[in-house]
Amino acid sequence: MAVYIAREATKLWRKVCAEIAVELQLLFEKWRLLLAGLVFQYIHGLAARGVHYLHRPGPLLQDLGFMALPELGQDKGYVSESVFTFIFISFLLWSFHPFIYHSKRFYTVLLWRRVLAFLVASQFLRIITFYSTQLPGPNYHCREGSKMATLPPPHNVLEVLLINFPRGVLFGCGDLIFSSHMIFTLVFVRTYHKYGSKRLIKILAWLMAIIQSLLIIASRKHYSVDVVVAWYTVNLVVFFIDNKLPEMPDRTNGSSLLPVTVKDKDGRTKEELHKLEKDCKMKEEFHKLLNGNTVDSTDRRQRVQMNGKHGEDINHTLSDATPNGT
């Protein structure tokens, strides 16, 4: 038994090391985009912290979701956060499963490159939206009478830049439309729906997203409009960006570890060379059309010779058929 465990542990370690080498090579190529996505997460947190200084508490707005769903109460606000934490950690662990499991469909670096692109685009729209109009926060610490509903003016720039993490993130006010929790949830669920392999988990993931939406409203952390807008905005953002980004190579066939891009001595890929060759052919055909030539020169010379010979044969025939003296 010990020998079997040692042998399997050795195989697993080799598999992990091989996958790390592959992912590191991709990371060295794509690190700029990944770093930009991570930096924007801080910018998004900084923007949410900034709008808290502009927040002014007021009476709760009339909300259909508040009427339909019973209020969980301040002491049960952890329920929605627990569900979100479960979704976040589950997706994080799943995205790194190619390091361990033999069956794999994607590269972790390329997957997170797409995920961060979806998050950045959605968060950029969110920043524009909640700075356009500040609604009175429905959360308990954002209501009238709470000391955390408004922030005093900052004493220095450093106080703003540090964003009082993590308390400033958990107890923010004013960043309502649309829900940041739903951005992460929907991006993760849609990504697993496309690249995941378990149909049952896909169904459960969408159910978790619906439950998360209802819990956010029942916890009074957002208005219903914040969740509704997130549902159609994030789905549209993911749809359009996913169509613009190059599709990730499929690893299910196990044909290659890395996406192969053959380059010539000038550093051009095979696809670029094929496109360049196609453009050259199109330009050549275009010039032929402008010059009135649709055939090459050799074919043209052969036709001229044939036409000349045919003309001589006609002349001989006519001369033989013409009577003398006329």
Side-chain angles (χ1 to χ4, degrees):
M1 186 66 179
V3 176
Y4 173 77
I5 295 176
R7 185 171 64 249
E8 292 299 320
T10 303
K11 291 181 181 179
L12 179 61
W13 176 247
R14 290 176 180 175
K15 186 185 300 182
V16 171
C17 292
E19 190 69 24
I20 289 175
V22 172
E23 295 288 351
L24 283 177
Q25 185 174 347
L26 289 172
L27 182 61
F28 291 150
E29 297 177 2
K30 312 294 184 182
W31 68 270
R32 294 179 181 85
L33 295 174
L34 293 172
L35 180 61
L38 293 175
V39 170
F40 195 85
Q41 300 308 303
Y42 168 75
I43 296 175
H44 175 253
L46 188 64
R49 177 66 173 178
V51 79
H52 196 167
Y53 290 99
L54 304 176
H55 177 258
R56 295 296 178 267
L60 291 180
L61 302 179
Q62 185 173 353
D63 189 280
L64 184 62
F66 291 178
M67 300 177 186
L69 295 174
E71 189 172 350
L72 288 181
Q74 191 171 2
D75 57 335
K76 295 181 180 179
Y78 68 90
V79 177
S80 63
E81 293 297 330
S82 300
V83 173
F84 175 75
T85 303
F86 175 78
I87 295 173
F88 189 94
I89 295 177
S90 299
F91 181 83
L92 183 66
L93 294 176
W94 169 76
S95 68
F96 283 92
H97 86 271
F99 287 85
I100 300 176
Y101 287 90
H102 179 71
S103 60
K104 53 197 74 176
R105 298 185 61 182
F106 55 84
Y107 299 94
T108 301
V109 170
L110 298 182
L111 181 78
W112 276 102
R113 178 172 171 257
R114 302 179 81 86
V115 169
L116 287 173
F118 302 151
L119 292 176
V120 167
S122 301
Q123 290 167 342
F124 178 76
L125 295 176
R126 180 175 188 259
I127 293 172
I128 296 176
T129 306
F130 67 64
Y131 265 103
S132 300
T133 303
Q134 289 84 47
L135 303 179
N139 210 334
Y140 301 100
H141 63 271
C142 299
R143 298 179 183 180
E144 293 178 321
S146 175
K147 295 181 179 179
M148 293 184 289
T150 57
L151 292 179
H155 296 89
N156 50 57
V157 178
L158 189 61
E159 182 180 344
V160 179
L161 296 178
L162 292 179
I163 66 176
N164 193 20
F165 185 84
R167 185 177 178 83
V169 177
L170 297 175
F171 295 96
C173 298
D175 56 329
L176 293 176
I177 303 177
F178 41 95
S179 171
S180 178
H181 284 61
M182 290 308 302
I183 290 178
F184 281 91
T185 300
L186 292 172
V187 167
F188 291 165
V189 170
R190 281 192 61 102
T191 303
Y192 183 82
H193 183 83
K194 182 175 183 179
Y195 298 106
S197 57
K198 304 297 183 182
R199 181 177 178 85
L200 178 61
I201 298 180
K202 293 180 181 181
I203 297 174
L204 291 177
W206 284 110
L207 288 176
M208 292 287 287
I210 296 174
I211 293 173
Q212 173 72 3
S213 303
L214 299 177
L215 287 175
I216 289 175
I217 299 173
S219 300
R220 304 303 188 252
K221 295 181 178 180
H222 279 277
Y223 292 107
S224 300
V225 65
D226 307 337
V227 176
V228 172
V229 172
W231 267 92
Y232 65 75
T233 302
V234 176
N235 280 290
L236 288 174
V237 167
V238 173
F239 174 77
F240 284 111
I241 294 182
D242 189 54
N243 289 334
K244 294 295 182 180
L245 291 176
E247 189 54 65
M248 293 197 302
D250 192 0
R251 304 181 67 182
T252 53
N253 54 8
S255 60
S256 61
L257 284 177
L258 280 174
V260 180
T261 54
V262 181
K263 295 186 179 182
D264 65 351
K265 61 183 180 180
D266 296 329
R268 293 173 296 190
T269 62
K270 185 178 180 180
E271 290 79 6
E272 292 174 346
L273 291 174
H274 178 71
K275 184 178 179 181
L276 183 62
E277 181 180 358
K278 186 177 180 180
D279 292 341
C280 292
K281 288 183 179 180
M282 292 180 63
K283 289 181 180 179
E284 184 179 355
E285 293 295 331
F286 180 71
H287 286 300
K288 287 181 180 180
L289 290 173
L290 288 178
N291 296 330
N293 287 329
T294 57
V295 295
D296 55 32
S297 57
T298 56
D299 189 27
R300 182 183 175 187
R301 286 197 298 268
Q302 291 177 358
R303 292 187 180 183
V304 170
Q305 292 175 359
M306 292 178 63
N307 291 336
K309 184 177 180 180
H310 183 65
E312 291 177 359
D313 293 340
I314 293 176
N315 292 334
H316 284 300
T317 303
L318 292 174
S319 61
D320 292 339
T322 303
N324 292 331
T326 59

